Amino acid sequence: MAGNQSQNNQPNKSTLEEIRANRIEKVQQIKDLGLNPYAYKWEVSHYAQLLQEKYAELPDGEEVADEVSVAGRIMARRVFGKLAFFELQDETGKIQLYLDKKKINSTMSDLTGAFNHLKKLSDTGDILGVKGTLKRTEKGELSIYVREFAILTKSLLPLPDKWHGLTDTEKRYRQRYVDLIVNPQVRNTFRIRAKITAGIRRYLEQRDFLEIESPVLQSEAGGAEARPFITYHNTLEMDLYLRIATELHLKRLIVGGFDKVFELGRIFRNEGVSTRHNPEFTMIEVYQAYADYNDMMALTEDLISSVAQEVLGTTKVTYQAEEIDLTPPWRRVTMQQIVQETTGINFAQFDNFETAKSAAKEAGIEVPEDCKTIGKLLNEAFEQKVEESLIQPTFIIDYPIEISPLAKPHRNKPGLVERFELFIVGRETANSFSELTDPLDQRERLEAQAAKKEAGDVEAHDVDEDFLAALEYGMPPTGGLGIGIDRLVMLLTDSPSIRDVIAFPLLKSQSVAVKSFDYDAEKQILKIEFNNGSIYKYLDVPESIYKELKETPSVGKYFNSHIKDKFGFDREV
RNA sequence: GGGAAUGUAACUCAAUUAGGCAGAGUAGCUGGCUUUUAACCAGCAAGUUGUGGGUUCGAUUCCCACCAUUCCCA
């Protein structure tokens, strides 16, 4: 540090740190002028988009005396000696600011050299409030002829490249706020998402459905086959699960006498991450008493097409260059029939599994270990050979009973249940049954699940006795429906990945380096402090590990391969 | 869990084929400029080449491990 700071009295650096320091210096200069770089309030009279529309007919070079006040972020600066053009972006769009030195200095005479201060102290990224009149420049750009300005928030960090924007996918997800600033279509995606969920709620409320919130923290996860997140309640000293479905609680409400209920909310499944899966995602479940799955098909069709019409103004959408027609009615076909169409195998004809299995293998279907019934085989054939070809909205109906533990047996097809799934662009988008209301049948099926859990299936769950008790009080015939909101939003916003429709998708935390470590030989506890400040105590760590950790040239590498995931730990900080 | 690709300045990208001083544009800083639209002109500054090892006189480049991301598969 000491020796080499003599010659350059003011080195012009532009690392991120230097840019930031420079802007902090500007914050101070703004304060020194008696102004607040972090203002409290700005009275906005118009949004940019509205002005663009309202003054669309204003001819080039003409002005109008209408006073407006706008606020937004400076996205671009084109500065001349005594004139400057800024591009201001608010939530709705952009508008140019026409900043004339003479005008500003005369109307803001309280602040000497106001124009030069703006030139020197503002940067792209700052939030600026301006008042002025409207003027279309000679080059044809609608502008605000600024009379008065205020820097409302000083930005300390530079925006991404003004032309290329932010394209690094990881940064877009990790720093969504920057993505939103510079990529208008991302803002639009989330605007549409909000309209979709609002539209769904409005649709259901108009039909007398009641939205009731069920618990996220549950003592037993149920209602789906999925691995749950487990958490812990300290004062109650109990494990709790984050819900994997809202099904079992919404059905309790049907038992309680509500005929039409729904919940649109967050579901958590402790599973992998992909373009179609996020560990927390949004689902709506709808239950209607005295209805069956045929009614739910009609509801699904009408709900989705109505919302598409309302939000996009059409029921014909383009998804990844493919035309999808959501205009009802949608095709309805049984699973058995569409598998037969595609593979030529009629699974209804089999009465023994081995014959069915060899037929399936002949058709190129892979038969996994745990697939031991004709019903499961049919489902395998469907998933492997049919599913991804279902591009246009299609209801697949009448599922095997083995894979549908909460659905009512089909009224006239033995071995099947009254269930449908909706497929659009090859993806499961909705799932629905005539709900099982027979408490004894339900008990048997849940106990079979519990046996699977006992045998080590992490996606199976214990019997929810309270739910069964509810059923024993008697649940009316009920149609139930679940729709994956994220997938629906993907479809309606033409988004290829679920992460594009989730504002803050889950990403792995960037690994942190080991800062220091310490070993308690008596208790065999290895305490590790990481660079991010967290401290972990690894338990029952043999001394040899500690010694090797001390010796190793790369602590991080040794930690990853020999300690992390190998020992139990308590997190201290 | 397996495979492929990627990671270089704050942002967008070169240089890696066959190891030889890491280079542009944008953003930034200084100066100039009253009609710009990715403004322009002159100058300046800006790098732990994801991390840690190895090979080598010399590594962004070759090898190994690890981290993260993207896509595909399970």
Side-chain angles (χ1 to χ4, degrees), chain A residues 394-408:
Chain A
T394 307
F395 290 115
I396 300 299
I397 62 179
D398 299 344
Y399 277 60
I401 193 164
E402 303 92 303
I403 57 167
S404 315
L406 298 163
K408 199 169 250 181

Side-chain angles (χ1 to χ4, degrees), chain A residues 257-490:
Chain A
F258 290 114
D259 284 351
K260 292 175 162 185
V261 296
F262 76 97
E263 181 171 8
L264 195 165
R266 203 69 59 81
I267 300 295
F268 307 85
R269 294 185 182 174
N270 203 340
E271 291 167 356
V273 172
S274 77
T275 44
R276 292 175 299 280
H277 299 87
N278 195 63
E280 54 176 306
F281 61 100
T282 302
M283 182 158 80
I284 184 171
E285 289 193 40
V286 184
Y287 291 86
Q288 180 176 352
Y290 311 110
D292 64 11
Y293 77 143
N294 293 305
D295 299 312
M296 301 322 275
M297 256 183 274
L299 177 68
T300 306
E301 224 168 47
D302 192 50
L303 171 64
I304 292 179
S305 58
S306 300
V307 167
Q309 182 67 44
E310 184 184 319
V311 173
L312 304 175
T314 174
T315 51
K316 292 189 169 67
V317 303
T318 302
Y319 186 77
Q320 306 294 293
E322 208 141 16
E323 185 84 7
I324 310 296
D325 189 355
L326 299 173
T327 316
W330 299 341
R331 187 183 180 200
R332 300 177 185 196
V333 58
T334 66
M335 181 183 273
Q336 186 271 322
Q337 191 187 334
I338 199 158
V339 167
Q340 186 171 1
E341 270 177 28
T342 314
T343 65
I345 306 173
N346 177 8
F347 277 87
Q349 72 182 335
F350 299 117
D351 43 21
N352 104 26
F353 175 69
E354 290 305 324
T355 328
K357 186 173 166 181
S358 45
K361 281 191 164 167
E362 213 161 290
I365 295 156
E366 279 185 42
V367 183
E369 269 300 293
D370 61 343
C371 178
K372 293 191 175 98
T373 67
I374 296 173
K376 282 194 176 178
L377 199 57
L378 172 63
N379 187 56
E380 281 296 332
F382 173 75
E383 286 182 358
Q384 290 178 35
K385 297 295 179 189
V386 180
E387 199 173 301
E388 68 180 27
S389 67
L390 300 173
I391 304 302
Q392 298 301 322
T394 307
F395 290 115
I396 300 299
I397 62 179
D398 299 344
Y399 277 60
I401 193 164
E402 303 92 303
I403 57 167
S404 315
L406 298 163
K408 199 169 250 181
H410 198 282
R411 59 195 83 181
N412 48 37
K413 292 179 185 168
L416 300 181
V417 292
E418 296 198 352
R419 172 182 182 183
F420 73 79
E421 288 189 329
L422 168 65
F423 289 86
I424 310 178
V425 294
R427 291 203 276 261
E428 180 202 335
T429 305
N431 181 23
S432 165
F433 343 118
S434 296
E435 301 294 339
L436 180 57
T437 52
D438 176 343
L440 303 181
D441 187 355
Q442 184 68 85
R443 173 174 292 281
E444 272 184 40
R445 297 207 221 163
L446 291 184
E447 282 175 352
Q449 287 280 305
K452 281 169 69 183
K453 179 180 180 178
E454 209 53 33
D457 185 341
V458 292
E459 295 189 349
H461 305 288
D462 286 328
V463 176
D464 185 336
E465 286 294 343
D466 182 68
F467 169 66
L468 287 176
L471 283 193
E472 295 202 0
Y473 278 97
M475 181 164 89
T478 298
L481 165 69
I483 301 173
I485 297 296
D486 308 278
R487 291 179 182 183
L488 182 61
V489 176
M490 286 168 71

